[in-house]
Amino acid sequence: MIIGVGIDVAEIDRFDDALRRTPGLADRLFVERELTLPSGERRGIASLAARFAAKEALAKALGAPGGLHWTDAEVLTESSGQPRLSVRGTVAARAEELGVRAWHVSLSHDAGVASAVVIAEG
């Protein structure tokens, strides 16, 4: 049963400007594993914007309650390249309250826009 669906878009240049303008913003939005590729290189801005969109979409799928912490949701990448969500803390508590047992996430970026769709399944 679908409990919630969320979608979000982020303008990549605008997101990049926000990260450059606000020291420490990336650390408030992402955990270290999200900021770097498996090779250790820093992840590109389009990929980070898509991950930010996924976190926004996740919040919408949960009904957009206040008090969720950005770093309590992590967008991981499987060896196949498929994105996967990992939740803990405030996000896990809200998901448990709603009966979420599985997450589905899709990320994309093209033409200066990053997007994400999240489905919460119970």
Side-chain angles (χ1 to χ4, degrees):
M1 174 173 86
I2 294 176
I3 292 175
V5 176
I7 185 170
D8 195 71
V9 297
E11 186 181 338
I12 296 169
D13 286 344
R14 184 174 173 212
F15 184 73
D16 188 29
D17 289 345
L19 289 179
R20 292 175 192 276
R21 188 177 56 249
T22 310
L25 179 59
D27 293 330
R28 291 195 307 269
L29 296 175
F30 304 107
V31 299
E32 186 61 32
R33 288 189 300 187
E34 291 175 297
L35 293 171
T36 56
L37 296 167
S39 65
E41 294 178 69
R42 182 153 175 100
R43 189 174 295 280
I45 192 64
S47 179
L48 288 177
R51 280 160 171 71
F52 176 71
K55 292 179 184 217
E56 287 276 1
L58 170 66
K60 291 172 182 175
L62 293 175
L68 298 180
H69 297 203
W70 293 110
T71 54
D72 283 349
E74 183 175 356
V75 181
L76 303 170
T77 305
E78 299 290 341
S79 58
S80 65
Q82 180 179 358
R84 176 175 64 86
L85 287 171
S86 174
V87 300
R88 60 188 156 271
T90 58
V91 176
R94 176 63 176 170
E96 183 176 337
E97 179 182 311
L98 295 175
V100 176
R101 293 191 321 254
W103 298 102
H104 306 276
V105 61
S106 180
L107 308 176
S108 186
H109 47 80
D110 188 29
V113 176
S115 62
V117 174
V118 171
I119 299 171
E121 183 181 357

